[in-house]
Amino acid sequence: MKNADAKTKATRPAVTTWPWLGTSACCTGGGEIRSALHERGRIMTPALGRREIRAAARLCLFLALLGSTFIPISVAQQSSAKTMQLTLEQAINLALKQNHSVHLRSLSVEQMQSKKEEARSNYLPQIKASGSVLHITELAGVEIPAGTFGNYTSTGPVPARSLFIDQGSATGYTGGLGLEQPITQLFRIHQADVAAKQDLLIAKTQLDQTQVAIALQVRQLYYNILINQQKLKASLDQLAAAQIKGEESRNDVARGSALEISALQSKAAILQAQQESLTLRLQGNDLRRQLADVLGLPVDTPLDLDPGAVAVALDVPTRADAIRIAFEQNQDLRAARQTVVKAQAGLAAAKAAYIPDVTALSRYSYQSGVPFLVHNFGTFGFSLSYDLFDGGRREAKIREARTEVHSAEVVVDKLQSEIEVQVQGIYDRVDELRQMVDVAGQVVKVRAEAARLADRQFEQTAALSSARSQSHADLTSANASLLEASCGLALSEADLKRAIGQMPQ
């Protein structure tokens, strides 16, 4: 009997207690659950067996619901880590929508628009409602002595005794609705409106300038990442060639056909290639983080860039046309000219301070407790105000405004000279880079031919494997140099479009 019980216990599956189910459930597979229940059914009552089956069913349902909850979360995490593919045009458009600097400039434009509307509202009449409650400690009245109007035998003195007639009441109430329309102040209001309009135009110009700068920055980072990728590939090829060269040097040293210093030099070349590869990887990661930040994305967003972006050429004008367009559309020059107009408006407003302030006004009032006035009455007319002496404040403001006008005009002349020099310098750099691209293209052709010959010689056992690997590494480096020159040319053309006030896109 004891042996049978021991055998039963040995064949019984492990049981885990689940407190929330109020019973026990088996944590094995479906077939093991059924066999365990069948085994226990022989020693348990039918009612207890049914409870075990229901508990196991509840457990399976709970596990199924738990799995259905975690599966979408894991899928969402995997989808969020997917690489984001971006062309150059898509990257620029995304930066113009999400970049923080562009957003701040947009808010500045909205702020200047509100200030312009505020300045323009001063043209219109101002309607105000006002009221007051005043208590007077002592009132004056009209005293009529007795007999002032005569003394008659039939009536006696008129009035019979002295009378005191109050004027108003101790507490008075006034209220009304008034309208005021400035007249001579319209000269200063107009100049303030002109200045606010120029502030709005300056804010819009600065927004355009920021957008152009962000587009150029995105293009520069985009190209630098592509160059980094090509240089990393060339560095890895150089590393592979150095490793093959090192293996050959060690074999030559072992055979006695070469000195040990050649093996040491090969090892140094391998370490130098490894260092260069690590440096390029770090630079590439930093460039990707910078690009993601400029695009308004999380800095750890993986990006997949289009290597064919460099092939898209920009339409640039001729040298003479570029200078003419720059004088018309350059953002810095436009902002300086708008500053000149704003300074001239400030000078005109300072001169208008000598004009007296004349205001037309009308008012409908209600009063209670004020003597000699009806409860409801109206008033209308004009008011005049003029500062007879201000200690030279107005004259000082005129001198200050005149200095600001001269300073703004000097800034415009200075920017015109600088922009012409800048455009000429960019055009010279573009011409030089075009020549560099041609030379780099010829180098690629030569390196490609050398790699082809190295492959043929290696197949004919006329060249070592290290020579073949080095030829292909040199070809990859030549391609990287060609890409760098092409990106430099494209960036210079984009910088030229920025200098003439156009979007480098």
Side-chain angles (χ1 to χ4, degrees):
M1 212 36 208
K2 292 181 179 179
N3 293 334
D5 293 340
K7 183 178 181 181
T8 304
K9 292 180 180 179
T11 58
R12 185 175 301 169
V15 177
T16 303
T17 302
W18 302 92
W20 59 85
L21 294 177
T23 182
S24 300
C26 182
C27 294
T28 57
E32 294 179 0
I33 292 176
R34 288 193 297 270
S35 63
L37 292 175
H38 179 70
E39 181 67 23
R40 296 187 62 184
R42 287 188 254 174
I43 61 176
M44 294 189 301
T45 61
L48 185 58
R50 287 192 296 270
R51 286 198 298 270
E52 289 289 339
I53 293 174
R54 286 195 296 269
R58 292 195 204 99
L59 175 61
C60 293
L61 178 61
F62 172 76
L63 293 176
L65 293 175
L66 189 63
S68 65
T69 302
F70 284 106
I71 287 175
I73 296 176
S74 62
V75 172
Q77 291 177 350
Q78 293 177 1
S79 62
S80 61
K82 290 181 61 177
T83 302
M84 186 176 184
Q85 297 182 352
L86 278 178
T87 63
L88 179 58
E89 184 177 359
Q90 290 173 346
I92 293 176
N93 293 332
L94 185 62
L96 296 180
K97 292 179 181 178
Q98 299 185 173
N99 185 265
H100 301 298
S101 299
V102 175
H103 188 204
L104 289 176
R105 288 299 185 185
S106 300
L107 294 177
S108 178
V109 171
E110 294 179 3
Q111 182 182 7
M112 291 300 110
Q113 180 66 38
S114 300
K115 288 186 177 181
K116 180 181 179 300
E117 294 175 356
E118 178 183 356
R120 191 171 183 81
S121 65
N122 293 326
Y123 283 109
L124 303 177
Q126 306 294 318
I127 300 177
K128 300 179 181 179
S130 62
S132 64
V133 178
L134 300 176
H135 180 77
I136 302 175
T137 58
E138 187 176 359
L139 292 173
V142 178
E143 183 179 2
I144 302 176
T148 299
F149 299 111
N151 188 358
Y152 305 98
T153 57
S154 59
T155 60
V158 179
R161 62 178 183 277
S162 297
L163 298 177
F164 186 83
I165 302 175
D166 293 333
Q167 295 183 4
S169 60
T171 303
Y173 304 90
T174 60
L177 187 67
L179 183 146
E180 297 180 357
Q181 172 61 55
I183 298 178
T184 56
Q185 297 94 322
L186 291 177
F187 295 103
R188 294 194 298 273
I189 291 173
H190 174 69
Q191 300 304 328
D193 182 45
V194 171
K197 181 180 179 181
Q198 297 306 314
D199 284 336
L200 176 60
L201 294 177
I202 292 173
K204 290 181 178 180
T205 302
Q206 291 174 348
L207 174 60
D208 296 339
Q209 187 177 14
T210 302
Q211 289 176 340
V212 170
I214 292 299
L216 184 61
Q217 185 180 3
V218 170
R219 183 179 291 271
Q220 182 177 6
L221 291 172
Y222 199 100
Y223 287 164
N224 287 340
I225 292 175
L226 295 179
I227 294 172
N228 177 266
Q229 291 175 352
Q230 190 66 26
K231 285 186 175 181
L232 180 60
K233 181 180 178 182
S235 177
L236 294 176
D237 289 347
Q238 291 287 350
L239 177 60
Q243 290 173 347
I244 296 175
K245 180 66 176 178
E247 182 67 22
E248 294 176 352
S249 298
R250 287 192 298 271
N251 293 335
D252 292 339
V253 171
R255 290 193 300 266
S257 59
L259 297 177
E260 189 175 355
I261 190 173
S262 62
L264 293 177
Q265 290 176 348
S266 299
K267 186 176 181 179
I270 293 173
L271 294 176
Q272 185 177 359
Q274 289 178 347
Q275 181 182 5
E276 185 178 359
S277 300
L278 291 175
T279 303
L280 290 172
R281 281 195 178 94
L282 292 176
Q283 290 178 353
N285 294 333
D286 186 56
L287 289 172
R288 286 181 176 84
R289 284 191 292 267
Q290 292 180 22
L291 179 59
D293 180 63
V294 173
L295 297 179
L297 299 173
V299 293
D300 56 348
T301 303
L303 300 175
D304 184 15
L305 307 185
D306 181 19
V310 187
V312 179
L314 295 177
D315 184 17
V316 295
T318 61
R319 188 184 295 260
D321 291 339
I323 296 175
R324 177 182 56 81
I325 295 173
F327 285 163
E328 297 175 356
Q329 300 182 7
N330 182 270
Q331 284 88 3
D332 291 332
L333 191 56
R334 282 164 49 196
R337 288 169 178 163
Q338 291 158 358
T339 303
V340 170
V341 178
K342 177 183 176 181
Q344 292 173 349
L347 177 60
K351 292 179 179 179
Y354 282 100
I355 302 175
D357 293 342
V358 178
T359 304
L361 55 89
S362 63
R363 179 180 176 85
Y364 182 79
S365 304
Y366 165 81
Q367 67 82 24
S368 177
V370 179
F372 307 116
L373 290 177
V374 297
H375 283 294
N376 298 291
F377 61 95
T379 55
F380 61 91
F382 296 90
S383 66
L384 185 143
S385 174
Y386 184 74
D387 294 335
L388 296 177
F389 179 75
D390 58 4
R393 176 177 54 84
R394 287 174 289 189
E395 187 62 30
K397 283 188 175 182
I398 291 176
R399 291 195 301 269
E400 179 184 0
R402 189 176 288 114
T403 303
E404 290 180 355
V405 171
H406 293 331
S407 299
E409 292 173 348
V410 171
V411 169
V412 170
D413 296 337
K414 176 175 176 290
L415 285 175
Q416 286 179 344
S417 302
E418 291 178 352
I419 289 171
E420 184 175 1
V421 173
Q422 184 180 7
V423 172
Q424 295 283 3
I426 294 175
Y427 246 105
D428 292 340
R429 188 164 67 249
V430 168
D431 294 338
E432 293 176 359
L433 287 171
R434 285 173 179 170
Q435 297 177 5
M436 290 179 61
V437 169
D438 294 337
V439 173
Q442 295 176 9
V443 172
V444 169
K445 292 180 180 179
V446 173
R447 291 297 184 184
E449 181 64 18
R452 186 186 65 82
L453 294 177
D455 290 338
R456 179 178 296 180
Q457 291 176 358
F458 178 77
E459 292 173 357
Q460 298 173 356
T461 65
L464 297 176
S465 178
S466 61
R468 178 193 181 193
S469 300
Q470 187 63 44
S471 297
H472 285 279
D474 292 340
L475 175 60
T476 308
S477 300
N479 287 324
S481 299
L482 176 60
L483 178 62
E484 186 174 9
S486 300
C487 290
L489 175 60
L491 283 176
S492 296
E493 292 175 347
D495 192 25
L496 177 61
K497 292 183 74 69
R498 177 202 59 80
I500 64 177
Q502 296 180 357
M503 180 67 70
Q505 192 174 7

